[in-house]
Amino acid sequence: QVQLVESGGGLVQAGGSLRLSCAASGRTFSRYSMGWFRQAPGKEREFVASVSWSGDTTNYADSVKGRFIISRDNAKNTVYLQMNSLKPEDTAVYICAASIIAMPTMPSGVRSWGQGTQVTVSS
């Protein structure tokens, strides 16, 4: 089992940028596909982005495509989410996820979660 700790959230104005980080424990980080989900108040958790174990393959929700970039550094056991051109509707708790198989886009398919980091975008 991998332990995940997110950081980098905060308050930003619309149009601004933030970079989230997710640090993973354990020596098997490179075996996991990694992803980010988000959950806004009163809404269901939704898929944001994922990256394969090698970093070669990425996947994005349509709502963030072209604005967010997911990447990983296996030497540092860390996955990143660079968020640009942020919008008020991006406001949510952003949660890191790990999967030993290809990252599911449905939250019910994920077994390893971090605690989340709050991102608030003001208009």
Side-chain angles (χ1 to χ4, degrees), residues 32-44:
Y32 288 83
S33 62
M34 299 296 296
W36 290 92
F37 288 71
R38 66 187 182 186
Q39 189 163 16
K43 295 188 176 181
E44 294 186 352

Side-chain angles (χ1 to χ4, degrees), residues 38 47-49 59-67 87:
R38 66 187 182 186
F47 170 79
V48 175
N59 187 27
Y60 296 93
D62 288 344
S63 59
V64 307
K65 202 170 292 184
R67 300 188 297 123
K87 305 175 182 180

Side-chain angles (χ1 to χ4, degrees), residues 9-75:
L11 173 65
V12 64
Q13 288 188 331
S17 298
L18 279 176
R19 189 174 84 152
L20 305 183
S21 299
C22 173
S25 65
R27 293 177 290 179
T28 59
F29 174 75
S30 61
R31 297 181 185 178
Y32 288 83
S33 62
M34 299 296 296
W36 290 92
F37 288 71
R38 66 187 182 186
Q39 189 163 16
K43 295 188 176 181
E44 294 186 352
R45 190 169 295 189
E46 64 175 4
F47 170 79
V48 175
S50 66
V51 59
S52 62
W53 66 271
S54 65
D56 290 344
T57 303
T58 57
N59 187 27
Y60 296 93
D62 288 344
S63 59
V64 307
K65 202 170 292 184
R67 300 188 297 123
F68 290 11
I69 301 171
I70 188 170
S71 61
R72 67 189 294 161
D73 186 337
N74 286 344

